[in-house]
Amino acid sequence: MSDADVTQIAIQTMMVAAKVAAPILLTALLVGFLISLFQAATQIQEATLSFVPKMIAVAIALLVTGNWVLSELVSFTHTLFDTLPRLLGRT
């Protein structure tokens, strides 16, 4: 296994991790921004006001995208396990 192979696997891993985390992180970012905008407009500075809606939105995002996330991770794992024997045999 060469350095290029390891680098390619690392790049693929980071891309899959970014794709899988994006829906949840973007949902939390959007809800947090909207809550902050609401807090700035109404001058309500309550810490729990941002936590509960963000937690609910993230849970909904997990329910909606959970199947896709799981299929992406399983697909990547199958691809990685199919590729590893070929890479290790090339020493």
Side-chain angles (χ1 to χ4, degrees):
M1 182 183 289
S2 68
D3 293 343
D5 295 332
V6 173
T7 304
Q8 185 64 29
I9 291 171
I11 289 170
Q12 289 174 348
T13 303
M14 287 186 279
M15 290 300 292
V16 168
K19 280 185 357 183
V20 164
I24 289 99
L25 292 177
L26 290 176
T27 300
L29 177 71
L30 181 65
V31 170
F33 176 73
L34 292 175
I35 298 289
S36 296
L37 205 59
F38 174 75
Q39 283 181 328
T42 60
Q43 294 184 353
I44 298 173
Q45 298 302 322
E46 180 63 33
T48 58
L49 183 65
S50 66
F51 178 72
V52 174
K54 200 183 299 185
M55 185 176 65
I56 292 169
V58 167
I60 291 170
L62 279 171
L63 286 173
V64 170
T65 63
N67 192 26
W68 173 78
V69 166
L70 186 61
S71 68
E72 284 290 318
L73 290 174
V74 168
S75 173
F76 175 70
T77 304
H78 282 204
T79 304
L80 186 63
F81 283 172
D82 289 342
T83 306
L84 279 177
R86 181 183 55 82
L87 293 173
L88 295 176
R90 239 194 327 172
T91 59

